[in-house]
Amino acid sequence: LSLHTMAGTRETTEFEDALAKHGIVQGARELEVTQEDLEDLVDTVVATYNKFEGKDRQEVEDEGDDDDERAFEEYRRQRFQEMQQAAARARYGDLKTISHYEYADEVSKAPEDVHVVVHLYKDGVPACDVLNERLGTLARKHRATKFVRIISTDCIRNYPDTSLPTILVYKGGNVLKQLVGVRELGGAAVTANELEWILSGTGAVETELEHDPRLDRKHEGKGRQFAFSRYAGSTSDSDQGG
């Protein structure tokens, strides 16, 4: 057996003979292989050589097929389990209106592992109307979280309209967070993303947002203000010039 190298021909090593013996280098006795090719092959094979020692090529292929099948079955089992868990968590999906009599069952006695977002609102309050719409959007997106709304004075007698809208975040029957008034809830023009970010800070929902979207609105507002200032300044200059 001779292998051609950059320097000519040489006898094969014991390891090279073993590669041919186990079918890893099939037909090596009839092939011309450069030293570089051989080194690349050794790097690829050395990690698995001991595993397959004493087995013929068919056994190696069969074992490889078995490994692939086991890996596929494990992946499929894991994905099925993840889907079952996700389905079990996705038990809600809408903003539910509740009464004073339902509050204990719907909120205080909700499952221990469930966050409950409660909106205290009144019809006809613009900020409450906006928040109801945003919460409905988030309820459809975050189905593992329970979203409910209740008229403020049905929940708490004489609750002041000046504190509306109000959001209470519960888990395990305990209040984790109170967000009272328009300012704490992102303003009268709060978006669904902004509200999602605020609620993610309480643990009620998860978010893929990488930063507070309210900052984008703030920067946009400054940009518009700067543009208006420049426009007003140029108008004033032209008036003086005239």
Side-chain angles (χ1 to χ4, degrees):
L1 171 64
S2 63
L3 299 178
H4 293 266
T5 67
M6 297 293 292
T9 62
R10 62 170 174 79
E11 292 300 314
T12 57
T13 66
E14 181 179 353
F15 182 70
E16 292 162 358
D17 290 337
L19 295 179
K21 173 184 176 182
H22 291 284
I24 296 171
V25 183
Q26 188 177 18
R29 289 178 170 79
E30 292 83 28
L31 294 177
E32 294 184 357
V33 183
T34 67
Q35 184 66 28
E36 184 178 356
D37 291 336
L38 183 59
E39 290 172 357
D40 289 342
L41 181 62
V42 169
D43 288 339
T44 303
V45 171
V46 69
T48 57
Y49 174 69
N50 289 336
K51 175 182 177 182
F52 297 133
E53 186 173 11
K55 301 177 181 178
D56 60 27
R57 181 171 182 172
Q58 187 59 49
E59 289 175 320
V60 170
E61 291 178 351
D62 290 344
E63 186 166 332
D65 290 342
D66 290 342
D67 288 342
D68 290 343
E69 183 65 23
R70 282 193 294 271
F72 177 75
E73 286 298 328
E74 174 62 21
Y75 173 77
R76 185 166 57 182
R77 184 197 63 77
Q78 182 177 343
R79 288 293 298 134
F80 182 70
Q81 187 177 49
E82 290 172 354
M83 290 171 64
Q84 283 185 315
Q85 292 172 348
R89 291 193 303 268
R91 63 188 82 173
Y92 303 111
D94 61 357
L95 175 61
K96 183 178 181 179
T97 303
I98 63 173
S99 69
H100 170 77
Y101 301 102
E102 297 171 299
Y103 196 91
D105 288 336
E106 295 288 346
V107 179
S108 304
K109 297 179 182 178
E112 292 283 330
D113 62 334
V114 172
H115 284 88
V116 184
V117 176
V118 182
H119 179 205
L120 306 187
Y121 78 103
K122 269 192 177 178
D123 290 326
V125 177
C128 291
D129 295 340
V130 171
L131 207 64
N132 278 330
E133 184 177 341
R134 303 295 182 257
L135 289 171
T137 298
L138 295 181
R140 291 187 291 273
K141 180 178 180 181
H142 300 281
R143 294 175 175 268
T145 300
K146 188 174 189 177
F147 290 82
V148 301
R149 66 177 187 170
I150 182 171
I151 294 175
S152 57
T153 49
D154 283 355
C155 182
I156 304 172
R157 184 178 299 178
N158 299 323
Y159 193 76
D161 290 355
T162 53
S163 296
L164 298 178
T166 292
I167 281 184
L168 308 176
V169 179
Y170 277 78
K171 187 177 183 184
N174 299 312
V175 178
L176 301 183
K177 184 71 175 179
Q178 300 179 51
L179 300 167
V180 180
V182 173
R183 184 181 296 274
E184 281 198 54
L185 289 164
V190 65
T191 67
N193 278 346
E194 290 168 354
L195 188 56
E196 178 180 276
W197 180 267
I198 293 169
L199 291 178
S200 71
T202 71
V205 300
E206 296 180 354
T207 183
E208 295 181 357
L209 297 170
E210 296 181 353
H211 66 276
D212 187 344
R214 290 173 294 180
L215 297 177
D216 297 334
R217 182 147 56 99
K218 187 175 181 180
H219 293 155
E220 289 174 3
K222 286 184 177 180
R224 285 193 296 269
Q225 184 177 7
F226 176 71
F228 177 78
S229 299
R230 291 191 61 185
Y231 171 76
S234 64
T235 302
S236 176
D237 292 342
S238 64
D239 290 344
Q240 292 177 4

